[in-house]
């Protein structure tokens, strides 16, 4: 049998097997008539290992044999195949986020003062982990509390060019639940302003913008 | 090819079907697998165990399949079946099965009745005036045979499609870390604003927080400036401005500096009139530790 | 993001996934910040497809998306990884499957009508268990029999992108002239066959089609 054929069979077997394959296991795929030596299989493995250079996968030898595996470098993207969504954020978190956006730079104590209740550390952690808020400085008072502000990622997520595109506090106070008017919003999301819906300029069309990559969960 | 003369010649006569003779077989196809061995032909002079014959019977997928076999074996055109001859062969086969005391599916007997009926109608003299109107008595059977045959063929075609497990398998690579990534939930801006409205209403009720109208870009810039001053060192006033932002950007930065000063978050220093102005955060991370 | 990185991520994801991946699923692996267009992913798929030339595996598109699979040419060797595996299906099962595939939605009774024999419950069970067919509705006649249709898994299993790719069905021929054919049937008398002979010559094409394929064990 030609070396190229041996290499292709070894390659396909390694990809098809559910576990790592040892040299004897690979040799067992061939019959006497194929006249395949262990050296030829070793050569195949060497060739395949080299062939992975510059690819998203690699051929490695582990304790129980050879296997193809996903390279570490691309793992963060591949891992999204098994991602799952967490449950919705609490009202407390949304209030905290909104206050940071509108009153930044603001300390946790100041947020608590407006909300009238404490802000749990986990809420701040979640917002920091999501990279929507960060510490921008410290207030020069006893305890030197951290001052929080919003980030560029926060603006990007809500498709805003700047915070000015958020409605003013005065406007927010007047909004009624069903029809939240948001003049600046239309400017922020030109795509959302469908020609068929002229009132899109004045109504919130955010959901379509804010959740684009949440709709296709590969898991 | 098939001609009518062939069809009436006893090329495939009934004795075929008598036990001890050559049993029905589909061209060169093995009739069945008995203990893994293909059975191409039943030994003529040997006793056939009943279960072997049963296997042969199972080689047919019902009466339509058996009829098709009888027709094809003699290279007959399906549109032109010699009903009398085919019926005789079919009956012989059924008879053999009976003789072997094999359980025969009811469908085989129903087909026998249909064939007998067609044969009798063909034998009846037709009134001349009705000749053109009356349908060929075989038409319905021919239609069913063709319909069955096309799906028999379709099944064979599907069987030849390259398929998983037999002709291919998926190729997969191991993923070292397969733990599930938790994606944060989506947030609707409107929801966040409604949350803020509620907070504001609560704050208004408690009465000690008055929220004025102000450009939010100034608030945003305040954070940005604070971060730049986060090292605790003095920064030149001019270095905080980004000329590329234009006049509006300069105004926003200036207003943010005033706000920061008013809020005692920064110190502004000038050693002498017209000298360089320096700014510094009043508190930094290091100082906080 | 560089095209090479995109290609490597797509490659690794296809190898890591348990089932075929669609273009939107692949796009969902990337974040906005990666700035990856659908065109870039298509280019990656094209590049990967071409890259399989001369290898033991290939990248194919089936109904549910793209997947890597073992090439048919090397599969006989690879299949030795699994000593016992059911890869043959009875004629009864294949005929039932063919009727459901070509005639869907179809009831069990309608299948039996065409096949001329009963369809055993175990065949329907096997087809449902393999997720090749499923109940798609019920016919509004007494007894409300279930209507069966094929699934995407059926197409995937048989390497098909859509039902259109199934082999075309043979045509039904009509008995042209009752008198001629009746005359031919009375074939006991050779004279009577004369007029119909040319007709028969041109239409007898069936045997050539019906026999050569049946090389496999019907059991």
């Amino acid at each position: 049998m030609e070396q190229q054929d041996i290499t292709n069979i070894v390659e396909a077997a390694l990809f098809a097997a559910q576990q790592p394959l040892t040299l004897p296991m690979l040799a067992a795929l061939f019959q006497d008539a194929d006249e395949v030596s262990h050296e030829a299989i070793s050569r195949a493995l060497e060739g395949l290992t080299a062939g992975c250079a510059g690819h998203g996968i690699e051929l490695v030898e582990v304790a129980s044999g050879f296997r193809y595996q996903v390279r570490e470098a691309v793992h963060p993207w591949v891992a999204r195949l098994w991602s799952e969504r967490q449950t919705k954020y609490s009202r407390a978190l949304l209030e905290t986020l909104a206050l940071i956006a509108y009153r930044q730079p603001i300390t946790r104590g100041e947020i608590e003062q407006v909300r009238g209740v404490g802000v749990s550390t986990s809420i701040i952690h979640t917002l920091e982990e999501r990279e929507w808020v960060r510490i921008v400085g410290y207030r020069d008072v006893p305890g030197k509390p951290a001052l929080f502000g919003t980030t560029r990622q926060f603006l990007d997520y809500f498709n805003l060019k700047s915070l000015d595109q958020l409605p003013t506090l005065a406007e927010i106070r007047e909004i009624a639940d069903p029809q939240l008017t948001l003049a600046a919003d239309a400017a922020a999301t030109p795509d959302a302003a469908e020609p068929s819906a002229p009132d899109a300029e004045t109504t919130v069309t955010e959901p379509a913008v804010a959740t684009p990559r949440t709709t296709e969960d590969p898991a | 090819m098939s001609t009518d003369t062939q069809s009436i010649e006893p090329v495939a006569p009934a004795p075929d079907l008598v036990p001890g003779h050559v049993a029905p077989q589909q061209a060169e196809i093995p009739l069945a697998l008995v203990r893994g061995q293909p059975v191409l032909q039943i030994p003529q002079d040997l006793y056939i165990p009943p279960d072997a014959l049963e296997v042969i019977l199972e080689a047919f997928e019902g009466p339509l399949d058996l009829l098709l076999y009888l027709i094809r074996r003699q290279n007959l055109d399906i549109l032109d079946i010699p009903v009398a001859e085919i019926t005789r062969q079919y009956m012989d086969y059924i008879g053999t099965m009976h003789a072997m005391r094999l359980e025969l599916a009811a469908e085989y007997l129903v087909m026998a009745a249909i064939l007998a009926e067609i044969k009798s109608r063909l034998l009846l003299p037709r009134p001349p005036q009705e000749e053109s109107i009356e349908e060929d008595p075989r038409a319905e059977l021919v239609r069913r045979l063709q319909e069955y045959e096309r799906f028999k063929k379709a099944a064979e075609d599907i069987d030849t499609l390259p398929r998983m497990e037999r002709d291919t398998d998926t190729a997969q690579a191991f993923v070292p870390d397969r733990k599930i990534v938790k994606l944060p939930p989506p947030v609707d801006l409107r929801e966040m604003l409604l949350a803020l409205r509620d907070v504001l209403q609560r704050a208004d009720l408690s009465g000690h927080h008055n929220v004025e109208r102000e450009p939010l870009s100034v608030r945003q810039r305040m954070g940005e400036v604070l971060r730049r001053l986060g090292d605790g060192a003095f920064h030149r006033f001019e270095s905080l401005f980004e000329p590329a932002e234009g006049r509006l950007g300069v105004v926003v930065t200036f207003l943010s500096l005033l706000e920061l000063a008013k809020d005692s978050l920064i110190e502004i220093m000038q050693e002498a009139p017209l000298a360089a102005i320096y700014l510094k955060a009043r508190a930094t991370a290091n100082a906080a530790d």
Side-chain angles (χ1 to χ4, degrees), chain A, chain B:
Chain A
M1 194 180 267
E2 301 280 322
Q3 180 67 46
Q4 186 59 54
D5 294 331
I6 299 167
T7 304
N8 284 355
I9 290 167
V10 169
E11 179 187 36
L14 288 168
F15 275 122
Q18 306 288 323
Q19 298 99 14
L21 298 179
T22 61
L23 213 94
M25 283 161 115
L26 287 166
L29 300 179
F30 299 94
Q31 291 179 313
D32 290 351
D34 294 333
E35 289 185 28
V36 173
S37 65
H38 276 231
E39 289 70 43
I41 295 172
S42 293
R43 271 198 301 279
L45 289 166
E46 278 163 34
L48 293 169
T49 306
C52 285
H55 279 262
I57 48 160
E58 57 188 339
L59 179 56
V60 296
E61 187 178 5
V62 292
S64 47
F66 295 87
R67 76 172 172 216
Y68 275 105
Q69 65 181 37
V70 169
R71 268 187 208 279
E72 231 178 286
V74 298
H75 183 263
W77 286 268
V78 174
R80 292 181 66 101
L81 284 172
W82 301 282
S83 54
E84 72 181 25
R85 277 217 178 270
Q86 285 166 2
T87 46
K88 276 179 73 175
Y89 285 140
S90 66
R91 186 40 87 104
L93 182 138
L94 293 175
E95 287 179 8
T96 305
L97 177 62
L99 281 169
I100 294 174
Y102 277 83
R103 303 297 303 160
Q104 59 190 292
I106 188 170
T107 65
R108 189 163 143 188
E110 287 156 6
I111 298 168
E112 290 174 340
Q113 219 182 331
V114 180
R115 288 193 59 230
V117 283
V119 171
S120 78
T121 312
S122 75
I123 284 181
I124 302 286
H125 271 321
T126 304
L127 291 172
E128 284 183 319
E129 244 171 46
R130 195 141 188 195
E131 297 188 316
W132 281 355
V133 313
R134 64 178 171 196
I135 294 173
V136 293
Y138 296 87
R139 196 177 279 290
D140 191 21
V141 293
K144 300 255 189 281
L147 288 158
F148 295 95
T150 53
T151 61
R152 174 134 304 273
Q153 286 91 324
F154 168 80
L155 294 175
D156 286 346
Y157 184 87
F158 291 107
N159 229 356
L160 303 168
K161 280 202 198 76
S162 82
L163 278 181
D164 278 346
Q165 293 184 323
L166 286 173
T168 64
L169 288 177
E171 283 164 344
I172 287 173
R173 255 188 288 202
E174 279 151 30
I175 53 175
D177 282 44
Q179 279 285 311
L180 172 54
T181 54
L182 183 46
D185 183 58
T189 61
D191 329 343
E194 296 281 327
S196 59
D199 26 317
E201 295 222 34
T202 49
T203 52
V204 172
T205 50
E206 214 60 28
V209 186
T211 52
R213 51 181 125 86
T214 62
T215 45
E216 267 131 9
D217 194 341
Chain B
M1 294 306 281
S2 96
T3 65
D4 297 307
T5 41
Q6 263 184 337
S7 71
I8 52 158
E9 270 169 17
V11 279
D16 259 357
L17 303 159
V18 176
H21 288 260
V22 177
Q25 59 184 70
Q26 308 217 349
E28 290 84 25
I29 317 153
L31 276 168
L33 282 178
V34 178
R35 288 186 207 92
Q37 295 302 308
V39 176
L40 285 163
Q41 205 174 348
I42 300 297
Q44 300 200 8
D45 45 359
L46 290 176
Y47 165 74
I48 307 172
D51 53 333
L53 200 57
E54 201 161 11
V55 171
I56 294 164
L57 176 65
E58 278 167 11
F60 292 109
E61 292 293 327
L64 289 172
D65 196 26
L66 172 56
L67 270 180
L68 268 183
Y69 164 72
L70 294 173
I71 292 163
R72 293 297 172 219
R73 186 180 58 171
Q74 294 161 77
N75 273 346
L76 300 176
D77 183 356
I78 203 163
L79 296 187
D80 207 11
I81 321 162
V83 173
E85 179 59 20
I86 289 294
T87 304
R88 191 177 58 76
Q89 293 180 14
Y90 184 88
M91 293 307 193
D92 282 344
Y93 188 89
I94 301 298
T96 306
M97 287 324 200
H98 261 310
M100 299 299 299
R101 293 212 178 90
L102 291 174
E103 221 178 287
L104 209 54
E107 291 97 344
Y108 284 92
L109 301 175
V110 172
M111 181 56 71
I114 293 171
L115 286 169
E117 204 254 331
I118 294 171
K119 195 171 110 183
S120 64
R121 278 174 64 195
L122 284 171
L123 290 174
L124 283 176
R126 276 158 286 145
Q129 65 269 44
E130 282 180 32
E131 246 173 61
S132 51
I133 311 160
E134 197 192 17
E135 206 198 4
D136 187 327
R138 302 170 305 175
E140 171 61 14
L141 179 64
V142 165
R143 196 197 56 74
R144 284 188 66 190
L145 279 169
Q146 287 193 82
E147 184 74 349
Y148 171 67
E149 186 173 42
R150 71 203 295 221
F151 285 104
K152 182 185 166 173
K153 172 71 165 47
E156 288 163 9
D157 288 346
I158 285 178
D159 202 27
T160 62
L161 291 173
R163 65 173 186 243
M164 279 289 154
E165 295 173 323
R166 188 189 67 184
D167 306 303
T168 184
D169 270 282
T170 53
Q172 290 189 323
F174 182 78
V175 183
D177 180 10
R178 223 170 192 151
K179 73 162 188 272
I180 286 167
V181 176
K182 295 255 185 207
L183 285 186
V187 174
D188 180 1
L189 180 62
R190 177 191 150 83
E191 249 183 289
M192 186 185 76
L193 295 175
L194 286 172
L196 180 61
R197 188 198 57 177
D198 293 351
V199 178
L200 293 177
Q201 280 167 355
R202 287 208 309 273
D204 283 353
L205 282 177
S206 61
H208 60 248
H209 210 279
N210 187 24
V211 192
E212 71 285 12
R213 186 188 173 99
E214 63 186 4
L216 278 165
S217 53
V218 172
R219 292 248 147 233
Q220 190 179 334
R221 186 58 52 91
M222 284 164 74
E224 287 161 14
V225 170
L226 266 187
R227 268 180 72 81
R228 288 189 59 183
L229 302 179
D231 56 5
F234 282 102
H235 289 253
R236 281 182 74 105
F237 177 74
E238 311 89 87
S239 73
L240 297 170
F241 293 89
E242 196 62 65
E245 288 183 344
R247 191 181 301 180
L248 190 66
V250 170
V251 171
V252 167
T253 303
F254 186 69
L255 286 174
S256 74
L257 291 177
L258 292 181
E259 280 292 327
L260 286 168
K262 197 177 95 188
D263 210 10
S264 8
L265 289 168
I266 56 168
E267 279 177 71
I268 304 176
M269 319 263 289
Q270 192 178 29
E271 305 235 308
L274 298 178
I277 300 170
Y278 287 93
L279 296 126
K280 173 181 174 294
R282 292 182 81 101
T284 60
N286 293 340
D289 289 339

